[in-house]
Amino acid sequence: MSRPADRLRPFSLERVPSMAAGAALAVAGSTRVICTASVASEPPRWIRRGADGQPEHGWVTAEYAMMPGSTPERQRRGGGSRAIEIQRLIARSLRAAVDLDQMPGLAITCDCDVLVADGGTRTAAVTGACVALRRAVRAALEAGTLGRDPWLGNVAAVSVGMVGGVPTLDLDYPLDSSAEVDMNVVMNDRGRFIEVQGTGEKGDFSRSQLDAMLGLAEAGIRELHRVQAAALAEDDRGAA
Amino acid sequence: MSRPADRLRPFSLERVPSMAAGAALAVAGSTRVICTASVASEPPRWIRRGADGQPEHGWVTAEYAMMPGSTPERQRRGGGSRAIEIQRLIARSLRAAVDLDQMPGLAITCDCDVLVADGGTRTAAVTGACVALRRAVRAALEAGTLGRDPWLGNVAAVSVGMVGGVPTLDLDYPLDSSAEVDMNVVMNDRGRFIEVQGTGEKGDFSRSQLDAMLGLAEAGIRELHRVQAAALAEDDRGAA
Amino acid sequence: MSRPADRLRPFSLERVPSMAAGAALAVAGSTRVICTASVASEPPRWIRRGADGQPEHGWVTAEYAMMPGSTPERQRRGGGSRAIEIQRLIARSLRAAVDLDQMPGLAITCDCDVLVADGGTRTAAVTGACVALRRAVRAALEAGTLGRDPWLGNVAAVSVGMVGGVPTLDLDYPLDSSAEVDMNVVMNDRGRFIEVQGTGEKGDFSRSQLDAMLGLAEAGIRELHRVQAAALAEDDRGAA
Amino acid sequence: MSRPADRLRPFSLERVPSMAAGAALAVAGSTRVICTASVASEPPRWIRRGADGQPEHGWVTAEYAMMPGSTPERQRRGGGSRAIEIQRLIARSLRAAVDLDQMPGLAITCDCDVLVADGGTRTAAVTGACVALRRAVRAALEAGTLGRDPWLGNVAAVSVGMVGGVPTLDLDYPLDSSAEVDMNVVMNDRGRFIEVQGTGEKGDFSRSQLDAMLGLAEAGIRELHRVQAAALAEDDRGAA
Amino acid sequence: MSRPADRLRPFSLERVPSMAAGAALAVAGSTRVICTASVASEPPRWIRRGADGQPEHGWVTAEYAMMPGSTPERQRRGGGSRAIEIQRLIARSLRAAVDLDQMPGLAITCDCDVLVADGGTRTAAVTGACVALRRAVRAALEAGTLGRDPWLGNVAAVSVGMVGGVPTLDLDYPLDSSAEVDMNVVMNDRGRFIEVQGTGEKGDFSRSQLDAMLGLAEAGIRELHRVQAAALAEDDRGAA
Amino acid sequence: MSRPADRLRPFSLERVPSMAAGAALAVAGSTRVICTASVASEPPRWIRRGADGQPEHGWVTAEYAMMPGSTPERQRRGGGSRAIEIQRLIARSLRAAVDLDQMPGLAITCDCDVLVADGGTRTAAVTGACVALRRAVRAALEAGTLGRDPWLGNVAAVSVGMVGGVPTLDLDYPLDSSAEVDMNVVMNDRGRFIEVQGTGEKGDFSRSQLDAMLGLAEAGIRELHRVQAAALAEDDRGAA
């Protein structure tokens, strides 16, 4: 019996061993993305400096890669243009979670390595990397590297699409392959949009179809924000 | 006196000398993009072949580059990740203008070289390259390379954004630099969406702001479709 | 209380979700390496062909990469010369586990991605990838892609070294950093050597020290072969 | 009726919109080259510095590229070895137009992008880029970036060759394809040579043939210097 | 006591051990270039084929590299744009020594590796590689790979320049560094020019200076042709 | 009559013209490797600096390349993964010859270019580059760049293998091609090991076979150390 078109696949955020400052494993159905957030030992040279020579802001960037065994046909390392487009989306989304001016000199790279790919890897990456990033920021606050908390709120993402004329939430690989329209939506936990990317490579879409897809995405992302909040609340209990 | 927030910059499609099968110069305010459509002498190897060994479909791809003198600070050649993201958007948009199954073996590359960059280069590129592509397709029909017309309809694109809280159409460089939200919209001439890409790197946006921006884009693109249609109609008169 | 110099760290071979034909997670103390074995959909072009045009042998190759979060200081992707030297060692070792002439046309790539690096990543990679490879070969036998079993026997590897003048088995990162001599040893389950690589970058070593290190390695690898055999025996029980 | 062997194709230097400090469009018959001269915001690191830490000289370099639609068969971006040889010739020629010691710290890149290629693109590039460079130098003088004028005089270039045994001026593509010998000549406006490059890939040439070709080139370049002077004189009138 | 301005440095062509089909060591004063000519085991794919599927012509190409220890400051491997310009010159010159249509399917690469660089490396490379190429062609004739001799005649090259206002033959590194004009001349043994490349990066030159330099070059090259002929005649005696 | 399995091929260290600080030509049977040691004009940036800003140690690195004519089938330039593995072995071996802390700020690159390849090129490279390095170090001592001698002792290397079941010293190409096991051994002139690399890609090997091969290597390397000592002693006589 198949999943209703307005329901997410089972989604969880699990712990994963890592040497990085923050980490999380995002699991959406069969899709699994290892997300880590590494703090650079020195701020990048290009960051604007103040009169005192100190960096005036921080930076967050992202890298996305399919691991070789993530698909039945082996993925060659190196990514190519699809990976570049995806990691730019992830990075923009994550930068919306922090006030860069409140983390001067702190440069964090979030790496999203897809262990298993079954559709929705880029949105699982955003949702998981946000938690990894939050953990790295908290570690920097505890270590005193950061004076105050630059966190603006969690961001999460989901895909929606038109499949056989039906607005559908959270496309797995078979759904994605047959979808006429594919849309990725990123929102913060104040219910506002960070990024909307809809593409009709196999078909165009009307304004009302767009509206329907956005509605599904808003509901799905609300659920993802609850999973994120729970995972981060558990950290607090672990620390207590 | 400045342009109202719901008005396009002056937009025109001019002729440009080229050896390519189709060409057009897109001019949007100060922005100028040289668009050419080149037909490959042989279909790429990866195209699916039928039982008779013949290619079963065609292909359209795109490249986007800033020419070195397109900005006050010289642009280095080679593009990088921004160019890759942009040319993927352009290529997806152009593929929505044709039925690839109706142009078997025909592979067309649309090149968009930015001569002057003053904001909106990627959307001007889509609008201009669509006309260059149409001209290349017509040339192939006249030459008998194509048996029937694969054209589905013109596509055009425009940027919109939130600038100082005001939904604004067709951002030039100063507007784009101060915008909280930037959105690129591609539509076909049947009034349906091909691509919607909205990003709030300097701020999030509500559903109603999204709606306002989409409304502006729909109106602006309708005007661009008129300019495209006029340019192509003039070709017919020239040919007559 | 520290580990005796002649004892392995706790070593296990765990299952890991993957789309590859075979997979295993090698865990040696804190070190963790994700190993997958992917079967190419087509044999590489350079494989020698017989009079009937059919490939005459198979091939096994390997790639090794540190994941970005595998070390406290983030690892840049791309590997460089150290990774190349390591993956050549892994590939040579794995090819000793199979009779390439008995797997005509079958080309398998074993990927070793280091999730956590605490010394001994290359030897854990050999030991884990051997199990991933065995699983991929078994899958090919079950699927009928392979007519008979090309397996010659498991291979496993361990590091040994001279640390403060003491021959020491299975170096973790702190031991490796202070070792005068570092040696990697690969053996098959018939007790014979496949590869011996000893390096005295911080000190030279005598013939008797070499002998002592080889003795430790032989004992350690015997234990690793038992873990491999148990993991593969469990597969059979799972299948039964 | 064909052009006499001792006559140039129609040659003009037109204006072209650009953000660069100087620009010119060189038109030689059907050949069109967009030439821009961009001033670097900072002098390159390798420029020799005096005791006061200030750069002691300036630099002029060049890049040459065929735009994708410049030939009937699409040109791939990236250039390759032919482009490298050509841009080195252009750069050497342009450096002969200025006294680098009189422009300390000023680094100018001249970009020559071929819009339409019908033979003689490298010589048209020299002639056009010289005017773009002159305009950039004048702008730096007006802006006060330069204290005194480093200009030594205009340089211009033309091709000559042996075609069917006849010394021939200004080879277009069909002539160039059938020429036994191809020679590019660069001269300054004092009637002296800057560069002479003659190649007999399809045939050798005698000393007297060389003399005849040089004579044609001298006459042709004199005419190009008149066109350059006129274009630059017009700038003055525009400024007045 | 210094060498007169119209005299070559001592020049010889020595034997050098090699696995290539032909080889020669060109020695011009201190400059030493190892030249080898390797025959490809298969003709390149791009060579035009006749109706019978057989290649219709052959090919000669060249590579030029400075060995790391060839200069007091170590040369990095990889060459860059100077090497590309030089190897294109060498290849064009060598192709003038053979009738490519008489060596169907034979593809020869001439490698010129500079062991010691003291000026004139590219011209020594041409003169030496010509002999290596001749030896490879002779070996192919003896082996029966070639049916008839495609050799048109030897080519040799020398540099000339204006040094302190004096036309000067065969510039070593100190002369080259102080020359106002530098010219490379390639001629065949019938006294005709193959290539003339004169550059006045540190000064322009008059027609009469050009004539004087060409005269010196003609005399110098005549001497080089005698050395080439003697080296090749010695091969015959060796073979007899 | 063939060479006994326990005898080296004729080995010599000859002089070779070079601009590098030190140089030597290693000849082992037909194999010839040009070895040069170049001193960098500035210490690399990454070298650790003391409180006084001065570099605290020196560095030795190596590059290995097959020259294009070194094999019957032409070698493409660029090396690839085999060259990388080899040059890492050479560099590690050479660093064992010096006390890096006694040569602060001195960075030396040893280049090993194979002129003729007939097996054993990497071990000939180690043996020859050691002498080139020694010469460069002596030159730095004489020039006063080095205050005291960092030399710890010569290092030399040889290959051994199992060929048809027989432990065999110093494999030439035919022996290497048929060997079941191939081992490279590097030792210093105090009779201690620096590096041991044994590989059984075509067969495994027992502990007693390993012992036999090591015994042969020890004897062979002792002889190479005598050749090195003689070559360096001759330098002294030349200098006296």
Side-chain angles (χ1 to χ4, degrees), chain D residues 85 88 192-193 196 204-205, chain E residues 85 88 192 198 204-205:
Chain D
E85 183 175 319
R88 286 172 60 89
R192 292 172 67 91
F193 293 91
V196 171
D204 47 29
F205 50 104
Chain E
E85 182 174 320
R88 285 171 60 89
R192 293 173 66 92
D204 47 29
F205 50 105

Side-chain angles (χ1 to χ4, degrees), chain F residues 146-198:
Chain F
L146 271 180
R148 48 192 156 172
D149 193 351
W151 201 252
L152 298 176
N154 298 336
V155 298
V158 81
S159 71
V160 283
M162 297 300 299
V163 183
V166 181
T168 305
L169 179 64
D170 192 12
L171 310 182
D172 59 18
Y173 182 74
L175 289 173
D176 189 63
S177 303
S178 62
E180 300 93 56
V181 180
D182 176 28
M183 178 173 283
N184 296 293
V185 180
V186 187
M187 298 182 76
N188 62 24
D189 55 9
R190 294 180 302 288
R192 293 173 67 90
F193 293 92
I194 301 302
E195 184 106 12
V196 172
Q197 286 200 347

Side-chain angles (χ1 to χ4, degrees), chain E residues 7-93:
Chain E
R7 292 280 286 275
L8 288 179
R9 290 178 283 177
F11 183 87
S12 59
L13 289 163
E14 305 180 3
R15 293 200 158 270
V16 63
S18 177
M19 293 282 192
L25 173 70
V27 182
S30 301
T31 289
R32 285 169 174 259
V33 185
I34 300 171
C35 305
T36 57
S38 297
V39 177
S41 55
E42 286 186 40
R45 295 189 184 180
W46 55 262
I47 282 189
R48 203 181 50 239
R49 312 252 155 184
D52 58 353
Q54 293 306 304
E56 292 193 328
H57 61 93
W59 194 241
V60 173
T61 189
E63 294 192 8
Y64 167 97
M66 304 278 274
M67 291 180 71
S70 62
T71 51
E73 177 77 17
R74 180 177 179 270
Q75 291 289 320
R76 296 180 63 172
R77 295 171 196 274
S81 62
R82 177 182 167 271
I84 287 169
E85 182 174 320
I86 292 174
Q87 69 197 20
R88 285 171 60 89
L89 164 67
I90 297 171
R92 284 192 304 261
S93 301

